[in-house]
């Protein structure tokens, strides 16, 4: 749980990279699970107070070796 991003999942994807997903109060994946491409990890719920203007949304961020990176450089 995170005050800003609500229920948040951090996934280790290899080579020091992490993907962070937030605003997911209804998780289908649990700590220690191996997640395959296309698998649902959770469902978006009501936003936290920090994102009330945007409405329901998925928080997404990436890190490399613990430092934030721009996900646009890695997404197709």
């Amino acid at each position: 749980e995170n005050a800003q991003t609500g229920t948040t999942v951090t996934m280790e994807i290899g080579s020091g990279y992490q993907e962070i997903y937030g605003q997911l109060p209804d998780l289908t994946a649990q700590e220690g699970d191996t997640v395959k491409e296309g698998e649902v990890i959770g469902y978006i719920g009501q936003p936290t107070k920090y994102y009330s203007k945007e409405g329901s949304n998925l928080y997404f961020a990436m890190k490399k070796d613990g430092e934030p990176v721009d996900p646009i450089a890695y997404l197709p």
Side-chain angles (χ1 to χ4, degrees), residues 9-13 17-21 60-63:
V9 174
T10 300
M11 298 173 65
E12 302 289 338
I13 59 171
Y17 286 96
Q18 295 177 314
E19 293 178 340
I20 300 99
Y21 299 87
F60 178 73
M62 287 183 70
K63 292 183 178 183

Side-chain angles (χ1 to χ4, degrees), residues 11-70:
M11 298 173 65
E12 302 289 338
I13 59 171
S15 301
Y17 286 96
Q18 295 177 314
E19 293 178 340
I20 300 99
Y21 299 87
Q23 308 279 13
L24 298 172
D26 187 12
L27 295 176
T28 58
Q30 296 186 13
E31 187 172 352
D33 285 356
T34 298
V35 179
K36 297 177 183 158
E37 183 178 344
E39 190 173 335
V40 174
I41 60 170
Y43 296 94
I44 298 171
Q46 295 299 313
T48 63
K49 66 181 180 180
Y50 299 93
Y51 293 98
S52 59
K53 285 185 180 180
E54 293 87 351
S56 295
N57 66 84
L58 174 68
Y59 172 87
F60 178 73
M62 287 183 70
K63 292 183 178 183
K64 167 75 166 128
D65 298 325
E67 295 296 319
V69 295
D70 183 357

